[in-house]
Amino acid sequence: MRRRTPPPPSPLPQRDGVDPVRVRLPAGDTWPTVRDHLDARLAAGAGVIDEMLDAGLIVDIAGRPVPRDMAYVPGMFVWFHRELPDEEQVPFPVDVLYRDDHVVVADKPHFLATIPRGSHVAETALARLRRQLGIPTLGAAHRLDRLTAGVVLFTVRPEERGAYQSLFRDKRVTKEYESVAPYDPALALPRTVHSRIVKERGVMAAREVEGEPNAVSRIELLEHGYGRARYRLMPRTGQTHQLRVHMSALGVPILGDPLYPEVTGPVAAGDFRRPLQLLARVLEFTDPVTGREHRFVSPRVLRAWSSYHEWAG
């Protein structure tokens, strides 16, 4: 198998814990200049690319500003910092559960994205931890949905990231989640749910369809009272929104879920009152670099169970 050549290191430093954007000029394209390609590819708006070039904000591999008339060279790399969006600050800390020379294990709060994506860039767990710990090389080995809280694994050394990511790819990680949802005495638990889940680009919610199962979840009842219950959820696969889809399909959708069983209106910016009651409680694995056995547990409490009226507001 042919080994992929890693991209060259960025000549620009991080900004607010966020990496600069790297663009590789496609080998199969032909454009008169780098400027023409970037203007068409990035669709940044009239005059934006020209303004960035004139200000020296787009650089080549040596960190030199790219002039407007630089000829297009297939395979060339350029870098620049994106204009950070105005982001609502998530008023909850990212707690560090464990740290060594190879990994950082964090307890992510609800509402905070794991990695920069879309409109969430500097206000993400990764960018925050880079700033907080002073580790610019920190990277995510996996991610949790923005609305889900709990244990997330980050890697310190880029050359080791693949080894930790393979734990998740090869299903060598034990993951346990906890949720609060309605209690249905007619629902027989524990049970293992098998279904096929698809998530279409541009569509907010995933859905179950006919076909060979690609999503498997173990669902257990921990305790119940006042029409609600605490559940232990153990995903054996990693489809988008898998646990949320499966709980909804069983007739007990997770409290605070804005997508399942139906998509509701977006929550107003700055409204952190009713977090999704889903928590990545446990992450357990054998460290592929050190050989240590690790088990990390989030101490968070789901408020819809401990203080429902406070959560429901």
Side-chain angles (χ1 to χ4, degrees):
M1 176 186 281
R2 196 172 168 185
R3 185 164 297 195
R4 187 177 178 181
T5 303
S10 171
L12 296 177
Q14 290 175 355
R15 181 184 295 169
D16 294 324
V18 179
D19 292 322
V21 176
R22 182 186 69 240
V23 176
R24 186 177 188 272
L25 309 188
D29 286 4
T30 54
W31 294 83
T33 66
V34 174
R35 178 255 173 223
D36 292 324
H37 172 74
L38 294 179
D39 190 53
R41 177 173 176 177
L42 300 180
V48 172
I49 296 300
D50 288 336
E51 290 175 5
M52 293 177 68
L53 290 168
D54 292 344
L57 300 180
I58 302 176
V59 303
D60 63 13
I61 192 170
R64 296 173 300 220
V66 173
R68 281 202 199 194
D69 60 354
M70 177 177 279
Y72 183 93
V73 178
M76 175 183 175
F77 288 92
V78 296
W79 288 263
F80 60 89
H81 280 289
R82 75 187 85 181
E83 191 70 29
L84 294 181
D86 291 330
E87 298 181 66
E88 188 74 33
Q89 185 173 1
V90 178
F92 313 114
V94 182
D95 297 322
V96 174
L97 300 177
Y98 175 83
R99 176 181 176 181
D100 64 20
D101 292 337
H102 308 279
V103 299
V104 171
V105 181
D107 192 2
K108 184 185 82 68
H110 296 284
F111 299 109
L112 189 70
T114 303
I115 59 176
R117 188 175 185 181
S119 61
H120 304 283
V121 184
E123 268 298 284
T124 58
L126 178 60
R128 274 202 197 178
L129 286 170
R130 283 173 170 174
R131 298 192 300 264
Q132 177 181 327
L133 303 177
I135 307 177
T137 57
L138 200 69
H142 68 122
R143 69 182 181 89
L144 295 178
D145 291 339
R146 185 178 66 88
L147 299 183
T148 303
V151 184
V152 187
L153 176 66
F154 296 89
T155 62
V156 174
R157 301 174 179 177
E159 65 272 19
E160 295 175 350
R161 189 169 305 154
Y164 290 97
Q165 289 175 327
S166 70
L167 292 174
F168 297 88
R169 182 193 65 214
D170 300 338
K171 300 179 176 61
R172 291 182 285 129
V173 175
T174 298
K175 295 184 284 186
E176 292 183 16
Y177 288 70
E178 186 178 310
S179 71
V180 179
Y183 172 63
D184 180 359
L187 180 62
L189 296 175
R191 70 167 61 189
T192 300
V193 180
H194 301 76
S195 74
R196 184 166 190 82
I197 294 176
V198 297
K199 174 69 168 64
E200 298 168 359
R201 183 182 293 273
V203 178
M204 295 179 67
R207 58 192 176 91
E208 291 184 312
V209 298
E210 296 293 329
E212 181 179 353
N214 63 358
V216 181
S217 305
R218 174 77 172 175
I219 314 293
E220 298 179 358
L221 176 66
L222 293 174
E223 55 183 327
H224 67 89
Y226 303 101
R228 302 182 302 279
R230 256 191 345 119
Y231 298 89
R232 178 186 291 123
L233 315 176
M234 289 167 284
R236 296 177 184 169
T237 53
Q239 297 299 319
T240 299
H241 298 174
Q242 175 178 316
L243 296 175
R244 297 163 66 180
V245 171
H246 282 168
M247 289 293 284
S248 181
L250 291 175
V252 286
I254 298 171
L255 294 184
D257 197 327
L259 298 181
Y260 307 98
E262 60 184 29
V263 177
T264 59
V267 176
D271 186 351
F272 303 110
R273 292 175 299 170
R274 296 185 185 178
L276 174 71
Q277 295 299 278
L278 180 61
L279 172 66
R281 175 70 76 189
V282 177
L283 190 66
E284 187 173 1
F285 60 92
T286 300
D287 192 302
V289 176
T290 66
R292 295 176 187 152
E293 299 291 333
H294 288 304
R295 177 180 171 85
F296 302 106
V297 181
S298 169
R300 292 181 187 273
V301 175
L302 292 173
R303 289 194 294 123
W305 182 256
S306 63
S307 51
Y308 177 78
H309 294 293
E310 178 185 328
W311 172 82

